[in-house]
Amino acid sequence: MPANPKLNSTTEGNVDNASTDIDINSSIDADVASDKADIDTDDDISGDDEDELTDSEAAMSAENDESPEEDIGKKINQLRLAKGYSQRKLAKLSGLTNTSISSIERNKVSPAVNTLKAILAVLGSDLTTFFSDEWKEPKARVVVTPKDLLELSEPSSRVSLRQVYNCSTTKNLGFLIEVYQPNSSTEEKIAHEGEEIGTVIEGKILIRIDETTYLLNQGDSYVIDTIRPHTFINPTDGVTRIVSAHTPTTY
């Protein structure tokens, strides 16, 4: 049978086209491989850059941690306790809220210059002294004598709250020696972040938490969440004495 010229022509054309396609595909594959190699190289470079950026950010973070701003709260706390002021008293004298003073002392917020000046004026200091290189932290004591106790109550108050303060800036626990004169009480509905544990060592005490009142006799102890408004009341004609511990150390 004679060969079909159309079939042979088409077949040969297909072979030629297939050959051309193979050449083109080979070229494309080579280009793709080259591009992939470039991409892999870029990824390696990018990874190195990320590592360098991370190290840089870590260094900046470390510098920020060591910045003087981190010491503002600690310094204010030291000045306040050295003055024998409670947070509430400092807040009242400086025209701020107790919450503001607490947040500043714990470095949760950074005070504006005018706010800091107002606080320092109450504490007998100023901006120049406060940020001076001569600022020195007081040395922590092991023994705290009665004369070293800090009275946190107002002089006219019939409730004495004396804090055992050893000048440490790293302690996590506050300790109070409390004396309630007959028929005396603390401020109405005190509330502050933290918790408190105490023991009545003499007399009786009423603790009003929200709308509930608890009567404690000598030897009884209490554990309260101080964020809940509370009041301590001595309802008797005798003196009541309590020892208590609280967190945070600021009060």
Side-chain angles (χ1 to χ4, degrees), residues 80 83-98 101 105 118-119 122-123 151-156 187 251:
R80 176 177 65 78
K83 199 80 171 177
Y85 288 173
S86 66
Q87 285 186 344
R88 287 187 294 278
K89 183 173 182 178
L90 176 57
K92 181 178 180 181
L93 294 176
S94 59
L96 301 171
T97 65
N98 183 38
I101 295 297
E105 286 195 357
I119 293 173
V122 172
L123 298 176
E151 179 59 65
L152 301 183
S153 297
E154 297 288 346
S156 59
E187 300 174 28
Y251 182 85

mmCIF file of all heavy atoms in Angstrom, residues 80 83-98 101 105 118-119 122-123 151-156 187 251:
data_model
loop_
_atom_site.group_PDB
_atom_site.id
_atom_site.type_symbol
_atom_site.label_atom_id
_atom_site.label_comp_id
_atom_site.label_asym_id
_atom_site.label_seq_id
_atom_site.Cartn_x
_atom_site.Cartn_y
_atom_site.Cartn_z
ATOM 1 N N ARG A 80 8.581 57.931 99.612
ATOM 2 C CA ARG A 80 7.312 57.939 100.348
ATOM 3 C C ARG A 80 7.448 57.222 101.687
ATOM 4 O O ARG A 80 7.014 57.746 102.727
ATOM 5 C CB ARG A 80 6.216 57.267 99.509
ATOM 6 C CG ARG A 80 4.888 57.137 100.244
ATOM 7 C CD ARG A 80 3.822 56.537 99.357
ATOM 8 N NE ARG A 80 4.088 55.160 98.970
ATOM 9 C CZ ARG A 80 3.884 54.105 99.767
ATOM 10 N NH1 ARG A 80 3.443 54.279 101.000
ATOM 11 N NH2 ARG A 80 4.129 52.891 99.327
ATOM 12 N N LYS A 83 9.401 59.044 104.209
ATOM 13 C CA LYS A 83 8.614 60.151 104.758
ATOM 14 C C LYS A 83 7.545 59.628 105.720
ATOM 15 O O LYS A 83 6.965 60.402 106.489
ATOM 16 C CB LYS A 83 7.937 60.903 103.600
ATOM 17 C CG LYS A 83 7.462 62.297 103.941
ATOM 18 C CD LYS A 83 8.595 63.298 103.908
ATOM 19 C CE LYS A 83 8.062 64.721 104.037
ATOM 20 N NZ LYS A 83 9.154 65.695 104.076
ATOM 21 N N GLY A 84 7.278 58.319 105.640
ATOM 22 C CA GLY A 84 6.260 57.731 106.498
ATOM 23 C C GLY A 84 4.851 57.953 105.998
ATOM 24 O O GLY A 84 3.895 57.936 106.780
ATOM 25 N N TYR A 85 4.699 58.137 104.675
ATOM 26 C CA TYR A 85 3.379 58.377 104.100
ATOM 27 C C TYR A 85 2.808 57.084 103.521
ATOM 28 O O TYR A 85 3.536 56.273 102.941
ATOM 29 C CB TYR A 85 3.455 59.408 102.974
ATOM 30 C CG TYR A 85 3.699 60.827 103.416
ATOM 31 C CD1 TYR A 85 3.931 61.833 102.483
ATOM 32 C CD2 TYR A 85 3.712 61.183 104.759
ATOM 33 C CE1 TYR A 85 4.155 63.133 102.871
ATOM 34 C CE2 TYR A 85 3.942 62.485 105.167
ATOM 35 C CZ TYR A 85 4.168 63.455 104.213
ATOM 36 O OH TYR A 85 4.401 64.739 104.607
ATOM 37 N N SER A 86 1.508 56.921 103.652
ATOM 38 C CA SER A 86 0.822 55.849 102.939
ATOM 39 C C SER A 86 0.575 56.322 101.515
ATOM 40 O O SER A 86 0.711 57.517 101.209
ATOM 41 C CB SER A 86 -0.507 55.510 103.616
ATOM 42 O OG SER A 86 -1.397 56.612 103.519
ATOM 43 N N GLN A 87 0.202 55.403 100.646
ATOM 44 C CA GLN A 87 -0.130 55.804 99.278
ATOM 45 C C GLN A 87 -1.319 56.757 99.270
ATOM 46 O O GLN A 87 -1.351 57.707 98.488
ATOM 47 C CB GLN A 87 -0.442 54.572 98.423
ATOM 48 C CG GLN A 87 0.772 53.765 98.026
ATOM 49 C CD GLN A 87 0.420 52.646 97.074
ATOM 50 O OE1 GLN A 87 -0.738 52.280 96.917
ATOM 51 N NE2 GLN A 87 1.431 52.078 96.428
ATOM 52 N N ARG A 88 -2.278 56.500 100.123
ATOM 53 C CA ARG A 88 -3.464 57.362 100.169
ATOM 54 C C ARG A 88 -3.113 58.777 100.598
ATOM 55 O O ARG A 88 -3.643 59.748 100.057
ATOM 56 C CB ARG A 88 -4.517 56.754 101.116
ATOM 57 C CG ARG A 88 -5.202 55.531 100.550
ATOM 58 C CD ARG A 88 -6.349 55.060 101.438
ATOM 59 N NE ARG A 88 -5.849 54.579 102.716
ATOM 60 C CZ ARG A 88 -5.364 53.364 102.892
ATOM 61 N NH1 ARG A 88 -5.308 52.520 101.887
ATOM 62 N NH2 ARG A 88 -4.943 52.977 104.086
ATOM 63 N N LYS A 89 -2.203 58.878 101.570
ATOM 64 C CA LYS A 89 -1.811 60.209 102.026
ATOM 65 C C LYS A 89 -1.044 60.957 100.939
ATOM 66 O O LYS A 89 -1.292 62.144 100.700
ATOM 67 C CB LYS A 89 -0.951 60.104 103.285
ATOM 68 C CG LYS A 89 -0.558 61.456 103.868
ATOM 69 C CD LYS A 89 0.156 61.310 105.202
ATOM 70 C CE LYS A 89 0.491 62.680 105.777
ATOM 71 N NZ LYS A 89 1.150 62.566 107.112
ATOM 72 N N LEU A 90 -0.121 60.275 100.273
ATOM 73 C CA LEU A 90 0.623 60.908 99.187
ATOM 74 C C LEU A 90 -0.318 61.332 98.068
ATOM 75 O O LEU A 90 -0.172 62.424 97.502
ATOM 76 C CB LEU A 90 1.684 59.949 98.646
ATOM 77 C CG LEU A 90 2.482 60.431 97.432
ATOM 78 C CD1 LEU A 90 3.175 61.755 97.731
ATOM 79 C CD2 LEU A 90 3.487 59.373 96.992
ATOM 80 N N ALA A 91 -1.275 60.480 97.747
ATOM 81 C CA ALA A 91 -2.236 60.796 96.692
ATOM 82 C C ALA A 91 -3.042 62.042 97.061
ATOM 83 O O ALA A 91 -3.233 62.949 96.231
ATOM 84 C CB ALA A 91 -3.169 59.613 96.467
ATOM 85 N N LYS A 92 -3.482 62.102 98.306
ATOM 86 C CA LYS A 92 -4.293 63.234 98.751
ATOM 87 C C LYS A 92 -3.500 64.532 98.715
ATOM 88 O O LYS A 92 -3.989 65.569 98.234
ATOM 89 C CB LYS A 92 -4.798 62.971 100.170
ATOM 90 C CG LYS A 92 -5.684 64.071 100.734
ATOM 91 C CD LYS A 92 -6.174 63.710 102.130
ATOM 92 C CE LYS A 92 -7.055 64.824 102.698
ATOM 93 N NZ LYS A 92 -7.525 64.479 104.071
ATOM 94 N N LEU A 93 -2.255 64.510 99.191
ATOM 95 C CA LEU A 93 -1.428 65.726 99.257
ATOM 96 C C LEU A 93 -0.963 66.194 97.876
ATOM 97 O O LEU A 93 -0.723 67.385 97.676
ATOM 98 C CB LEU A 93 -0.221 65.481 100.156
ATOM 99 C CG LEU A 93 -0.525 65.243 101.635
ATOM 100 C CD1 LEU A 93 0.756 64.916 102.405
ATOM 101 C CD2 LEU A 93 -1.208 66.469 102.245
ATOM 102 N N SER A 94 -0.837 65.257 96.938
ATOM 103 C CA SER A 94 -0.352 65.622 95.597
ATOM 104 C C SER A 94 -1.484 65.819 94.594
ATOM 105 O O SER A 94 -1.241 66.106 93.424
ATOM 106 C CB SER A 94 0.619 64.557 95.084
ATOM 107 O OG SER A 94 -0.010 63.292 95.018
ATOM 108 N N GLY A 95 -2.731 65.635 95.045
ATOM 109 C CA GLY A 95 -3.874 65.855 94.166
ATOM 110 C C GLY A 95 -4.112 64.737 93.179
ATOM 111 O O GLY A 95 -4.713 64.954 92.115
ATOM 112 N N LEU A 96 -3.664 63.521 93.504
ATOM 113 C CA LEU A 96 -3.852 62.376 92.628
ATOM 114 C C LEU A 96 -4.731 61.328 93.310
ATOM 115 O O LEU A 96 -5.152 61.515 94.447
ATOM 116 C CB LEU A 96 -2.493 61.756 92.273
ATOM 117 C CG LEU A 96 -1.501 62.677 91.565
ATOM 118 C CD1 LEU A 96 -0.139 62.003 91.467
ATOM 119 C CD2 LEU A 96 -2.008 63.048 90.180
ATOM 120 N N THR A 97 -4.995 60.245 92.607
ATOM 121 C CA THR A 97 -5.769 59.153 93.196
ATOM 122 C C THR A 97 -4.821 58.101 93.750
ATOM 123 O O THR A 97 -3.658 58.009 93.323
ATOM 124 C CB THR A 97 -6.694 58.505 92.155
ATOM 125 O OG1 THR A 97 -5.889 57.882 91.135
ATOM 126 C CG2 THR A 97 -7.619 59.544 91.528
ATOM 127 N N ASN A 98 -5.330 57.299 94.675
ATOM 128 C CA ASN A 98 -4.526 56.220 95.233
ATOM 129 C C ASN A 98 -4.112 55.234 94.149
ATOM 130 O O ASN A 98 -2.988 54.720 94.142
ATOM 131 C CB ASN A 98 -5.328 55.500 96.325
ATOM 132 C CG ASN A 98 -4.519 54.411 97.007
ATOM 133 O OD1 ASN A 98 -3.327 54.573 97.230
ATOM 134 N ND2 ASN A 98 -5.154 53.306 97.315
ATOM 135 N N ILE A 101 -1.053 56.598 92.211
ATOM 136 C CA ILE A 101 0.200 56.446 92.943
ATOM 137 C C ILE A 101 0.664 54.988 92.904
ATOM 138 O O ILE A 101 1.844 54.700 92.676
ATOM 139 C CB ILE A 101 0.038 56.897 94.404
ATOM 140 C CG1 ILE A 101 -0.260 58.409 94.465
ATOM 141 C CG2 ILE A 101 1.299 56.584 95.210
ATOM 142 C CD1 ILE A 101 0.850 59.290 93.935
ATOM 143 N N GLU A 105 4.205 53.763 91.236
ATOM 144 C CA GLU A 105 5.225 53.102 92.052
ATOM 145 C C GLU A 105 5.599 51.734 91.484
ATOM 146 O O GLU A 105 6.720 51.274 91.643
ATOM 147 C CB GLU A 105 4.739 52.950 93.494
ATOM 148 C CG GLU A 105 4.740 54.254 94.277
ATOM 149 C CD GLU A 105 4.599 54.029 95.773
ATOM 150 O OE1 GLU A 105 4.440 52.867 96.195
ATOM 151 O OE2 GLU A 105 4.643 55.025 96.521
ATOM 152 N N ALA A 118 4.759 67.413 91.211
ATOM 153 C CA ALA A 118 3.801 67.533 92.314
ATOM 154 C C ALA A 118 4.072 66.484 93.391
ATOM 155 O O ALA A 118 4.025 66.770 94.589
ATOM 156 C CB ALA A 118 2.377 67.400 91.789
ATOM 157 N N ILE A 119 4.384 65.263 92.962
ATOM 158 C CA ILE A 119 4.675 64.185 93.903
ATOM 159 C C ILE A 119 5.958 64.487 94.680
ATOM 160 O O ILE A 119 6.015 64.356 95.911
ATOM 161 C CB ILE A 119 4.805 62.840 93.167
ATOM 162 C CG1 ILE A 119 3.462 62.416 92.585
ATOM 163 C CG2 ILE A 119 5.353 61.753 94.097
ATOM 164 C CD1 ILE A 119 3.535 61.186 91.691
ATOM 165 N N VAL A 122 5.705 67.123 97.445
ATOM 166 C CA VAL A 122 5.122 66.591 98.686
ATOM 167 C C VAL A 122 6.165 65.791 99.462
ATOM 168 O O VAL A 122 6.201 65.817 100.702
ATOM 169 C CB VAL A 122 3.900 65.697 98.373
ATOM 170 C CG1 VAL A 122 3.413 64.979 99.629
ATOM 171 C CG2 VAL A 122 2.778 66.527 97.766
ATOM 172 N N LEU A 123 7.045 65.100 98.743
ATOM 173 C CA LEU A 123 8.041 64.241 99.382
ATOM 174 C C LEU A 123 9.337 64.970 99.707
ATOM 175 O O LEU A 123 10.315 64.359 100.144
ATOM 176 C CB LEU A 123 8.343 63.044 98.467
ATOM 177 C CG LEU A 123 7.156 62.117 98.179
ATOM 178 C CD1 LEU A 123 7.556 61.019 97.192
ATOM 179 C CD2 LEU A 123 6.629 61.499 99.469
ATOM 180 N N GLU A 151 4.969 54.895 110.669
ATOM 181 C CA GLU A 151 3.557 55.117 110.961
ATOM 182 C C GLU A 151 2.858 55.613 109.701
ATOM 183 O O GLU A 151 3.186 56.674 109.168
ATOM 184 C CB GLU A 151 3.401 56.147 112.084
ATOM 185 C CG GLU A 151 1.957 56.460 112.441
ATOM 186 C CD GLU A 151 1.186 55.225 112.895
ATOM 187 O OE1 GLU A 151 1.522 54.665 113.943
ATOM 188 O OE2 GLU A 151 0.253 54.832 112.151
ATOM 189 N N LEU A 152 1.886 54.840 109.215
ATOM 190 C CA LEU A 152 1.193 55.185 107.979
ATOM 191 C C LEU A 152 -0.099 55.967 108.216
ATOM 192 O O LEU A 152 -0.652 56.534 107.279
ATOM 193 C CB LEU A 152 0.878 53.914 107.181
ATOM 194 C CG LEU A 152 2.089 53.051 106.779
ATOM 195 C CD1 LEU A 152 1.634 51.866 105.940
ATOM 196 C CD2 LEU A 152 3.119 53.872 106.024
ATOM 197 N N SER A 153 -0.567 55.994 109.437
ATOM 198 C CA SER A 153 -1.812 56.706 109.736
ATOM 199 C C SER A 153 -1.542 58.182 110.030
ATOM 200 O O SER A 153 -0.409 58.579 110.343
ATOM 201 C CB SER A 153 -2.510 56.072 110.947
ATOM 202 O OG SER A 153 -2.887 54.743 110.675
ATOM 203 N N GLU A 154 -2.582 58.973 109.914
ATOM 204 C CA GLU A 154 -2.476 60.390 110.239
ATOM 205 C C GLU A 154 -2.216 60.548 111.739
ATOM 206 O O GLU A 154 -2.669 59.729 112.551
ATOM 207 C CB GLU A 154 -3.769 61.110 109.859
ATOM 208 C CG GLU A 154 -4.090 61.088 108.374
ATOM 209 C CD GLU A 154 -3.169 61.994 107.579
ATOM 210 O OE1 GLU A 154 -2.468 62.835 108.210
ATOM 211 O OE2 GLU A 154 -3.133 61.863 106.345
ATOM 212 N N PRO A 155 -1.496 61.607 112.151
ATOM 213 C CA PRO A 155 -1.214 61.815 113.575
ATOM 214 C C PRO A 155 -2.474 61.888 114.433
ATOM 215 O O PRO A 155 -2.454 61.489 115.604
ATOM 216 C CB PRO A 155 -0.455 63.150 113.579
ATOM 217 C CG PRO A 155 0.164 63.228 112.220
ATOM 218 C CD PRO A 155 -0.823 62.601 111.307
ATOM 219 N N SER A 156 -3.555 62.388 113.855
ATOM 220 C CA SER A 156 -4.792 62.540 114.619
ATOM 221 C C SER A 156 -5.635 61.258 114.654
ATOM 222 O O SER A 156 -6.644 61.192 115.355
ATOM 223 C CB SER A 156 -5.637 63.674 114.030
ATOM 224 O OG SER A 156 -5.942 63.407 112.664
ATOM 225 N N GLU A 187 -10.543 53.915 107.654
ATOM 226 C CA GLU A 187 -11.380 54.652 106.707
ATOM 227 C C GLU A 187 -12.474 53.733 106.168
ATOM 228 O O GLU A 187 -12.337 52.513 106.148
ATOM 229 C CB GLU A 187 -10.535 55.171 105.547
ATOM 230 C CG GLU A 187 -9.424 56.117 105.967
ATOM 231 C CD GLU A 187 -8.528 56.475 104.798
ATOM 232 O OE1 GLU A 187 -9.032 56.463 103.659
ATOM 233 O OE2 GLU A 187 -7.346 56.749 105.025
ATOM 234 N N TYR A 251 1.354 50.286 100.013
ATOM 235 C CA TYR A 251 0.130 50.323 100.814
ATOM 236 C C TYR A 251 -0.436 51.748 100.810
ATOM 237 O O TYR A 251 0.305 52.694 100.999
ATOM 238 C CB TYR A 251 0.421 49.893 102.255
ATOM 239 C CG TYR A 251 -0.809 49.852 103.146
ATOM 240 C CD1 TYR A 251 -1.622 48.739 103.180
ATOM 241 C CD2 TYR A 251 -1.129 50.960 103.920
ATOM 242 C CE1 TYR A 251 -2.742 48.702 104.001
ATOM 243 C CE2 TYR A 251 -2.264 50.935 104.744
ATOM 244 C CZ TYR A 251 -3.046 49.807 104.773
ATOM 245 O OH TYR A 251 -4.163 49.787 105.575
#
